[in-house]
Amino acid sequence: MQDFYIFLLSVHAVSNAMWVGAVFMGSIIDWPAIKAMAKNGKFPFLFVVGQGSNVFFWVYLAIFLQITTSTGLAIMHPPEGNTEILFLGLRTFALSIMIGFTLYGTFSSWPKLQVSSSGEAWTIYRYYMYRAYAIFACGLLNTVAMVMLYMDI
């Protein structure tokens, strides 16, 4: 049973790194480069659409793995005491924000971006980036809470 627990914890850590890493790359690394390349003021639709299409599968795989492994870990290692309950609550809060903002981006921002003018796209994407920064911050919070909750194995 301990081996399965370690397997779940490992999958959970890797899927968290995939998701947070994708958001980090897209928002902290790529976005400033995109803005710098768009000297003519035209929104770089091809790059953004291409990037979004390629990352879609991996982000939603990571979300699925986060949900399933979080559930399995909570069942196999229920929180004991107020501190562990607090860390589980922080993880649940952070993961909920991450999922909510990702779904909002997929079903609201992304479709609007596909049919917008260049000027509208910059505005839509700016708010998309704000949510990406929040996802990244919540991903870091989720990571710290995960380590604190499960570091006793």
Side-chain angles (χ1 to χ4, degrees):
M1 194 59 98
Q2 182 72 6
D3 289 343
F4 185 65
Y5 181 80
I6 291 171
F7 170 77
L8 279 181
L9 192 55
S10 299
V11 170
H12 189 74
V14 169
S15 63
N16 188 56
M18 284 171 43
W19 190 1
V20 174
V23 173
F24 176 81
M25 189 70 181
S27 61
I28 310 260
I29 305 297
D30 289 348
W31 184 237
I34 291 168
K35 289 194 301 189
M37 290 173 26
K39 300 228 183 268
N40 60 5
K42 292 190 136 263
F43 188 80
F45 285 104
L46 292 178
F47 179 83
V48 171
V49 170
Q51 181 190 47
S53 299
N54 288 321
V55 79
F56 180 86
F57 170 79
W58 298 106
V59 166
Y60 279 94
L61 174 63
I63 290 171
F64 172 76
L65 292 172
Q66 282 287 291
I67 292 168
T68 55
T69 57
S70 288
T71 303
L73 289 167
I75 290 169
M76 293 183 77
H77 184 286
E80 299 172 3
N82 292 336
T83 303
E84 287 190 1
I85 291 170
L86 172 67
F87 287 127
L88 184 60
L90 285 172
R91 294 192 66 241
T92 302
F93 171 77
L95 192 55
S96 297
I97 295 294
M98 293 169 70
I99 291 170
F101 281 174
T102 300
L103 289 172
Y104 183 84
T106 299
F107 295 112
S108 180
S109 301
W110 191 252
K112 290 176 187 173
L113 189 65
Q114 305 296 315
V115 296
S116 65
S117 69
S118 183
E120 295 168 331
W122 285 110
T123 302
I124 292 167
Y125 212 71
R126 182 176 67 237
Y127 289 107
Y128 183 84
M129 283 292 99
Y130 293 154
R131 287 187 299 277
Y133 299 143
I135 291 170
F136 180 68
C138 285
L140 294 178
L141 175 64
N142 185 33
T143 302
V144 170
M146 178 181 73
V147 169
M148 298 305 291
L149 183 59
Y150 299 118
M151 69 182 199
D152 67 325
I153 64 162

